[in-house]
Amino acid sequence: MENNLTFTMIKPDAMEKGYFTKIFSIILKSGFRISALKLIHLTRNQAKTFYKIHSNKPFFEELVAFMTRSPIVVAVLKKDNAVDDFRKLIGSTNPEEAEEGTIRKKYASSIEANAIHGSDSDENAQIEIDFFFKN
Ligand code: CMP
């Protein structure tokens, strides 16, 4: 991968509030293009596997329950410097710390229900893309 792909999820809180089109409009206006996209309802097993790095954290069970409570959109986005540029666009994990104008500042409601995911490295982007899009 040449630093030009990242992976995102529009999380249950944002989907339930109807923010999907507003969030994707910001993403497209910021120069990202959609390489792949689908609507899915995560199973508990999928959520536990995707977030296994957090399995020892106190919030793990709550996170799995949150991510499986309603459908989400998963997508692969393309742009030069995709991972870093997308992390800047979505803002800090905790919306209270997110910069003005970022997607989480606008649409997230808590550190858990933070509206959107973005890969944190090129290596993890590829792992996350494969998790949802490799047959
Ligand atoms: P994200 O960074 O996309 O992936 C890990 C997720 O775990 C994070 O978004 C939040 O949804 C959730 N998370 C991280 N920290 C906490 C926390 N302290 N309490 C509850 N949920 C959290």
Side-chain angles (χ1 to χ4, degrees):
M1 201 163 79
E2 297 163 19
N3 295 348
N4 65 351
L5 292 181
T6 192
F7 170 78
T8 190
M9 301 190 280
I10 309 299
K11 298 187 184 182
D13 58 315
M15 294 296 291
E16 289 160 6
K17 289 175 182 162
Y19 293 154
F20 168 72
T21 50
K22 285 178 178 153
I23 291 175
F24 255 84
S25 166
I26 295 172
I27 291 170
L28 294 173
K29 276 186 203 147
S30 303
F32 292 88
R33 291 293 164 259
I34 300 169
S35 288
L37 181 145
K38 61 185 175 185
L39 178 77
I40 59 166
H41 197 149
L42 279 181
T43 65
R44 273 186 60 81
N45 270 347
Q46 281 176 312
K48 283 163 98 171
T49 307
F50 186 82
Y51 284 117
K52 63 177 183 293
I53 193 168
H54 296 302
S55 59
N56 293 328
K57 307 265 174 63
F59 58 82
F60 182 68
E61 267 307 316
E62 209 182 282
L63 176 62
V64 170
F66 162 61
M67 287 301 296
T68 55
R69 81 179 184 203
S70 56
I72 62 170
V73 165
V74 294
V76 181
L77 301 173
K78 190 168 186 179
K79 182 183 183 295
D80 286 347
N81 202 35
V83 166
D84 288 347
D85 286 1
F86 197 69
R87 299 277 290 180
K88 278 184 206 128
L89 184 66
I90 68 176
S92 304
T93 305
N94 184 348
E96 285 175 17
E97 291 163 14
E99 303 70 13
E100 285 303 325
T102 60
I103 290 173
R104 281 174 172 155
K105 186 73 179 182
K106 282 186 180 145
Y107 298 114
S109 38
S110 71
I111 191 165
E112 177 183 81
N114 63 358
I116 188 164
H117 170 84
S119 309
D120 63 6
S121 66
D122 291 326
E123 189 191 355
N124 282 338
Q126 194 59 62
I127 292 168
E128 292 169 359
I129 290 166
D130 289 348
F131 186 86
F132 286 106
F133 291 99
K134 205 172 178 181
N135 295 318

